[in-house]
Amino acid sequence: MSWFDRLRDGLNRTRAATFGGGRGAAWEMDWEDLEFALIGADVGAKLAATVVAEAKEERQRGTPFREALEKALLDQLEPDRMRQKLRRVGFNLDVSRNVIEPAGHVVMVVGVNGVGKTTTIAKLGHYYLEHGKSVMFAAGDTFRAAGSAQLAVWGERLGIPTVTGESGADPGAVAFDGASQRKARGTDLLIVDTAGRLHTKHNLMEELKKVKRVIAKADEREPRDVWLVLDAVTGQNGLEQARKFHEAVTLTGVVVTKLDGTAKGGILLPITRELGIPIKFIGVGEGKDDLQPYDAAAFVRALLDMPPVAA
Amino acid sequence: MFQSLGDRLQSVFDGLRGRGRLTEADVKAALREVRVALLEADVNLEVAREFTNRVQEKAIGSDVLMSLQPDQRVIAIVHDELKEVLGGKSVLPTLKSEGNVWLLMGLQGAGKTTTAGKLAYRYKAQGRRVLLVAADTQRPAARDQLRVLGEQIGVPVFEVRDGEAPASSAARLKDHLRKDFRDLVIVDTAGRLQIDDALMDELADLSERVEPSERILVVDAMTGQQSLPVATAFDQRIGVTGLIMSKLDGDARGGAALSAKHVTGKPIYFAGMSEKIDGLEPFHPDRVAGRILGMGDVLTLIEKAKALEGDDEDDDGQMRNLGDFSLQDMLTQMRRIKQMGSFTDVLKLIPGAGKIVPAGTNIDEREIGRVEAIISSMTEAERHTPRILNAARRKRIARGSGTTVQDVNRLINNYEEMRKLMKRMGKRAPRRGARPGLRG
């Protein structure tokens, strides 16, 4: 089963819930229904109107409905303005990336409470092990009761060494230990967990900045990546979350979890559109293999039940 | 940031002013804005549609069209209707003298375990003998989390074993309760997707076995359009008797509350207002109604202020008249506000503050501490007559408060600005109540 098929399977329920059942080649939807479907997918009222207007325009040029919609959605999901322009003038950029390479050796993972940060880190660890990297964890969630135990259990299951701290310990200290140990051992990748925090809590966001600074102290120029984990059921508040975390620790990517339900993660559109942060992975199931590298083109095509673009 | 519904409606009606009367079409245009505002607050599409239809009936049938301030009237109707849909007044879970079993359920990450701990803490403080049941065998270390929470608050935790069938856990629990009497049992279950049939079956089975007196659905306040299918599925499969909104302390508008309440028709008991163990507050429909509409939460503010009344430590703070506002007054005011909670939180509760304070502004709480230190380093005379603050005095104050002369200068400039503002407000005071209505 190719990863595209798996992605398509994972998005089956999402697709059915968003656009309804049968979609033959001649599939067409009422514009108003489409707008509501997009709002129902948490795209937000404003962007839904934009997507509909663009798809409509494209449709009037004679493009089949599904392709017109694909184009309009892709346009919104392209964080890079340059690439967006290229796409508009007709370049095909849809070459599926198979591996998401982190920029450096340390990835810090942040997010609000309950989005699935720790589970995602476990899946990321598994993913990079599979791709031949040596991996370490730093269990920086020292706030939640048994927060670091959760990651330690995962580390044990996956055979990934995990640096932990006492409950209530300074998360910066755990991150520092992790970063210096990674450097000493020459491990390829360290993934740093942090406690979930609401983006409106000033002090907690300051703490997060400190964790990032401290990592840089142990290992210069790291963490090169800071990824935000976002729950697919999040509504319009997701944009505000991403904005605040971006302001605090400069995000380099977003991982969307729990896309295996009927949630559509439509909030991805405003996030890529307004903040220009790329989506790195999407979680389409509970299994450890169900974290998929994200590719806007493949995502939209799988969502619209179209065959993958030949590489 | 969100534009408040008040502002949206204002702009719709502004275009219509001077035409004398509003037509039915005008009201419909306004209600379209209401619907968009609801959608932006994450109220489910279906619910928003039904809701605006109902408001439309009321608005068109009433004297709104004739009234002088139709925008205010429409907002008032929307607000009242929202409050009504959210449940009117706050309700708490039913509590018998014994045999209370509360089952907590919801999606992964909704906040069930934390809520279980908070509930246990709250009812233990009220003299209940509480038992927590850790039934989440899915997430690694979930039972550890509850066990640690239980230890912190001194509530015993009964743990379900790995892969144990609900029948067996229920039997063991009953056995346990025979030996150790408890009048309130709170069961924390594993998070599950509403479409996961196997897990939903298991939950239904568990629910049948332990015969809960309350089946509470925990909903994340940040949930988007999914709140409706989620609440519907849990209600149909298990039967929801009440709701708890978690993470309402963020800046999510909480439209999910409206959707979940709408489909289940069951009361929202509590709202999670902080990560701390005592951060669970009874749910107030009127306040959340205002929040969904972006109108601020004056009632909570008033309540916080009231709680502080009576402990005015020094009467120096009493302003004799708005014109002479001294540094001492400023300090007292600041301390008072600080007692009400974090400055940023307090600001959020003030209607219209969203407009004055640019989006994303965060007040550095330490800044307030610095101001406090500076003023505290001044002599009585300096506090009342800042004019006498020459360079030498400023240097001394900076040293005394661990700040720099620049900090001191900035504070004095801010103070002067504030004093001027106060003076102007003092002059304007007699023109009171120029615009009645909901917006402050």
Side-chain angles (χ1 to χ4, degrees):
Chain A
M1 196 173 175
S2 80
W3 76 270
F4 183 84
D5 290 332
R6 202 187 309 221
L7 176 63
R8 198 159 51 168
D9 269 17
L11 289 173
N12 254 336
R13 287 193 285 231
T14 296
R15 176 171 54 244
T18 316
F19 302 112
R23 274 169 318 286
W27 174 52
E28 185 110 39
M29 225 172 151
D30 182 62
W31 293 116
E32 196 174 60
D33 288 346
L34 175 64
E35 186 169 350
F36 289 147
L38 291 169
I39 293 175
D42 288 319
V43 167
K46 206 172 92 195
L47 254 186
T50 314
V51 171
V52 168
E54 282 181 18
K56 217 173 184 171
E57 208 175 289
E58 193 63 37
R59 182 81 184 90
Q60 274 155 8
R61 283 190 211 121
T63 317
F65 176 79
R66 193 152 60 163
E67 268 139 63
L69 179 57
E70 183 202 3
K71 237 182 138 183
L73 284 172
L74 265 183
D75 218 46
Q76 300 301 325
L77 282 167
E78 179 57 76
D80 189 318
R81 301 291 151 113
M82 198 58 218
R83 279 170 59 101
Q84 190 188 29
K85 270 189 201 146
L86 287 173
R87 210 190 279 283
R88 276 196 178 145
V89 295
F91 279 94
N92 183 12
L93 301 161
D94 306 339
V95 184
S96 304
R97 286 170 294 171
N98 282 316
V99 187
I100 305 277
E101 287 287 348
H105 296 290
V106 182
V107 177
M108 184 171 148
V109 176
V110 301
V112 300
N113 317 63
V115 290
K117 274 179 301 303
T118 306
T119 311
T120 300
I121 287 171
K123 289 181 183 175
L124 283 172
H126 174 73
Y127 177 85
Y128 285 113
L129 276 185
E130 293 270 285
H131 283 88
K133 283 187 190 295
S134 51
V135 184
M136 268 179 72
F137 290 152
D141 184 356
T142 51
F143 180 80
R144 175 156 100 174
S148 59
Q150 191 188 348
L151 190 61
V153 170
W154 274 114
E156 215 166 284
R157 282 187 201 168
L158 296 165
I160 292 175
T162 308
V163 179
T164 55
E166 297 264 303
S167 171
D170 179 9
V174 178
F176 184 87
D177 282 353
S180 14
Q181 281 187 35
R182 186 216 65 80
K183 209 175 163 192
R185 293 187 202 178
T187 308
D188 296 331
L189 186 65
L190 167 73
I191 309 178
V192 181
D193 194 9
T194 59
R197 64 201 71 219
L198 287 179
H199 52 289
T200 49
K201 302 277 155 93
H202 179 78
N203 293 345
L204 292 179
M205 294 306 273
E206 288 296 314
E207 180 191 89
L208 204 59
K209 288 186 198 168
K210 182 186 160 195
V211 171
K212 194 182 173 193
R213 279 198 307 270
V214 160
I215 294 174
K217 261 188 198 150
D219 194 353
E220 230 179 298
R221 298 184 61 219
E222 296 290 357
R224 297 277 292 278
D225 271 306
V226 182
W227 292 347
L228 173 76
V229 180
L230 193 80
D231 187 331
V233 301
T234 312
Q236 298 310 299
N237 191 244
L239 179 61
E240 221 35 53
Q241 281 176 31
R243 199 195 308 275
K244 293 279 166 59
F245 275 102
H246 193 44
E247 279 167 13
V249 286
T250 320
L251 302 174
T252 62
V254 176
V255 179
V256 184
T257 58
K258 309 183 200 172
L259 258 172
D260 46 336
T262 49
K264 296 106 192 165
I267 191 67
L268 285 187
L269 269 76
I271 289 176
T272 15
R273 178 75 287 131
E274 288 197 25
L275 304 177
I277 305 167
I279 315 298
K280 296 283 183 184
F281 288 92
I282 56 177
V284 290
E286 302 213 28
K288 54 185 195 247
D289 292 313
D290 291 325
L291 192 70
Q292 298 281 344
Y294 168 86
D295 176 332
F299 177 73
V300 171
R301 294 185 76 86
L303 192 62
L304 299 176
D305 203 12
M306 298 163 88
V309 177
Chain B
M1 246 324 240
F2 304 104
Q3 199 187 2
S4 83
L5 182 65
D7 299 342
R8 283 171 171 284
L9 285 180
Q10 188 88 59
S11 57
V12 173
F13 287 113
D14 275 351
L16 304 169
R17 284 265 162 71
R19 269 188 14 207
R21 289 178 52 171
L22 293 180
T23 65
E24 215 173 293
D26 296 337
V27 173
K28 278 191 182 148
L31 286 173
R32 251 198 306 279
E33 291 297 323
V34 173
R35 193 160 81 180
V36 174
L38 292 175
L39 291 176
E40 277 183 4
D42 290 322
V43 174
N44 182 277
L45 198 62
E46 295 301 315
V47 181
R49 197 179 294 168
E50 234 172 86
F51 180 83
T52 39
N53 285 345
R54 227 180 9 250
V55 172
Q56 185 171 325
E57 272 167 37
K58 282 203 176 166
I60 290 174
S62 77
D63 56 353
V64 176
L65 304 182
M66 304 295 290
S67 71
L68 283 171
Q69 289 175 330
D71 50 344
Q72 300 294 343
R73 285 287 299 138
V74 172
I75 293 178
I77 293 178
V78 171
H79 184 268
D80 289 350
E81 192 66 27
L82 263 181
K83 197 174 108 183
E84 203 50 47
V85 176
L86 283 167
K89 56 182 194 298
S90 47
V91 182
L92 293 178
T94 47
L95 206 52
K96 298 170 287 184
S97 59
E98 58 181 278
N100 297 292
V101 179
W102 296 358
L103 189 75
L104 296 186
M105 53 196 183
L107 295 180
Q108 287 98 339
K112 290 173 296 298
T113 307
T114 310
T115 303
K118 287 176 179 174
L119 282 172
Y121 174 82
R122 183 185 178 91
Y123 284 98
K124 188 191 177 218
Q126 291 178 11
R128 289 280 168 173
R129 279 177 66 83
V130 186
L131 175 71
L132 281 164
V133 177
D136 182 354
T137 54
Q138 300 278 326
R139 181 161 56 97
R143 284 168 289 176
D144 294 345
Q145 187 188 353
L146 200 62
R147 194 189 316 122
V148 173
L149 275 173
E151 268 164 31
Q152 280 169 5
I153 58 178
V155 170
V157 177
F158 176 89
E159 291 182 39
V160 168
R161 296 186 189 124
D162 276 322
E164 191 179 19
S168 150
S169 332
R172 277 204 306 127
L173 177 62
K174 267 191 194 121
D175 221 41
H176 180 88
L177 287 173
R178 248 194 301 275
K179 278 176 275 174
D180 179 21
F181 173 78
R182 297 282 151 181
D183 54 12
L184 175 59
V185 178
I186 299 169
V187 185
D188 173 36
T189 64
R192 61 201 78 218
L193 281 172
Q194 81 281 10
I195 48 163
D196 190 325
D197 285 329
L199 285 179
M200 289 300 274
D201 282 343
E202 186 211 78
L203 184 62
D205 192 17
L206 180 69
S207 176
E208 242 165 66
R209 306 274 177 190
V210 300
E211 296 168 342
S213 49
E214 289 275 3
R215 291 176 297 273
I216 301 173
L217 180 67
V218 181
V219 182
D220 185 332
M222 293 180 280
T223 312
Q225 297 286 320
Q226 281 293 300
S227 53
L228 189 79
V230 169
T232 311
F234 275 96
D235 196 28
Q236 281 171 358
R237 296 293 296 275
I238 324 291
V240 171
T241 61
L243 301 155
I244 291 179
M245 297 302 295
S246 63
K247 307 176 209 171
L248 207 59
D249 48 338
D251 57 359
R253 300 283 277 274
L258 187 67
S259 310
K261 174 77 188 29
H262 177 90
V263 286
T264 59
K266 297 298 183 314
I268 302 171
Y269 296 138
F270 294 104
M273 297 305 290
S274 94
E275 283 189 284
K276 298 197 189 91
I277 195 74
D278 59 351
L280 195 68
E281 293 174 10
F283 180 83
H284 295 285
D286 42 351
R287 300 178 191 180
V288 174
R291 182 175 171 142
I292 291 175
L293 295 177
M295 295 196 308
D297 188 350
V298 197
L299 287 171
T300 302
L301 190 65
I302 294 171
E303 199 167 81
K304 282 190 168 186
K306 265 197 193 138
L308 290 171
E309 252 171 39
D311 54 62
D312 282 12
E313 70 282 28
D314 58 320
D315 249 347
D316 267 19
Q318 279 295 335
M319 273 183 279
R320 293 140 301 264
N321 105 48
L322 286 167
D324 42 78
F325 175 71
S326 73
L327 277 162
Q328 179 61 48
D329 296 331
M330 186 164 150
L331 182 63
T332 315
Q333 295 281 318
M334 247 169 163
R335 280 189 178 145
R336 223 171 260 164
I337 292 175
K338 218 170 85 179
Q339 273 177 291
M340 287 161 69
S342 104
F343 212 81
T344 326
D345 286 347
V346 172
L347 208 61
K348 260 194 319 214
L349 302 175
I350 302 171
K355 264 197 299 186
I356 304 163
V357 185
T361 305
N362 228 327
I363 290 158
D364 187 351
E365 307 284 338
R366 278 175 312 186
E367 182 66 32
I368 296 168
R370 226 171 279 145
V371 169
E372 224 181 316
I374 294 174
I375 300 181
S376 307
S377 300
M378 294 179 184
T379 64
E380 278 294 310
E382 285 165 346
R383 290 182 207 188
H384 288 285
T385 348
R387 255 181 306 117
I388 61 171
L389 285 167
N390 57 22
R393 283 176 188 261
R394 288 182 195 212
K395 226 188 241 162
R396 191 206 76 235
I397 293 163
R399 220 172 33 240
S401 56
T403 56
T404 63
V405 177
Q406 281 88 343
D407 287 329
V408 178
N409 289 343
R410 203 171 47 220
L411 169 74
I412 306 218
N413 288 341
N414 285 346
Y415 157 76
E416 285 297 338
E417 291 279 303
M418 229 160 141
R419 204 174 57 99
K420 269 184 227 153
L421 203 76
M422 289 288 204
K423 236 178 184 160
R424 248 185 295 147
M425 271 164 65
K427 274 183 202 140
R428 230 191 274 164
R431 253 189 75 221
R432 199 173 307 144
R435 256 182 91 91
L438 282 156
R439 300 191 321 137

